[in-house]
Amino acid sequence: QVQLMESGGELVQPGGSLRLSCVASGRVLNYYTVAWFRQAPGKEREFVAVIRRTGDTYYSDAVKGRFTISRDNAKNTAFLQMNNLDPEDTGLYYCAGRVGNFDDYQRQDAYDYWGQGTQVTVSS
């Protein structure tokens, strides 16, 4: 079993940047596909980005070109670099993990492990 813990969320002004981290303990992260999801107030949780076990990455249309997902297997950590932030990016950001590669990576129920979330607030 793996435990995931997010960090890095905070209040930032529109146009600013943040880097979120997702540290895994209990298993080596390089066997996992890792994704970021977010949930805005009053909305359903939505897919943001994924880095598959093989290293390929995919993004939602809302964040493509602004966010970058990456991983450092030696540190058992995945990252989400967020640039040019917009108030619409406000929400609770979660990382999720599952062993191996799979095609339905945008589905929440495809993942076995979740962190507790880190709050990102974009406001002036």
Side-chain angles (χ1 to χ4, degrees):
Q1 189 169 356
V2 65
Q3 293 81 42
L4 303 176
M5 180 173 292
E6 307 92 336
S7 64
E10 62 181 67
L11 173 65
V12 62
Q13 292 190 342
S17 297
L18 282 177
R19 188 174 81 156
L20 306 184
S21 298
C22 173
V23 178
S25 60
R27 291 290 186 271
V28 288
L29 193 62
N30 59 306
Y31 292 119
Y32 285 74
T33 285
V34 179
W36 288 92
F37 289 78
R38 67 185 181 187
Q39 187 167 21
K43 296 185 178 180
E44 293 186 355
R45 191 157 54 183
E46 64 176 2
F47 168 79
V48 174
V50 65
I51 183 164
R52 300 177 75 196
R53 182 183 179 279
T54 47
D56 43 327
T57 59
Y58 301 92
Y59 300 90
S60 69
D61 288 343
V63 308
K64 197 174 299 182
R66 300 187 297 122
F67 290 13
T68 303
I69 189 170
S70 62
R71 65 199 299 161
D72 184 335
N73 290 333
K75 296 182 178 179
N76 257 1
T77 303
F79 302 99
L80 185 68
Q81 177 67 42
M82 307 187 295
N83 298 329
N84 194 22
L85 283 161
D86 183 271
E88 291 292 311
D89 296 315
T90 294
L92 192 59
Y93 282 69
Y94 299 89
C95 68
R98 173 180 157 183
V99 171
N101 275 333
F102 45 96
D103 293 330
D104 54 346
Y105 51 78
Q106 296 188 57
R107 295 175 57 92
Q108 298 178 51
D109 59 4
Y111 295 88
D112 298 317
Y113 305 106
W114 290 82
Q116 294 300 306
T118 185
Q119 178 67 39
V120 173
T121 303
V122 185
S123 175
S124 55

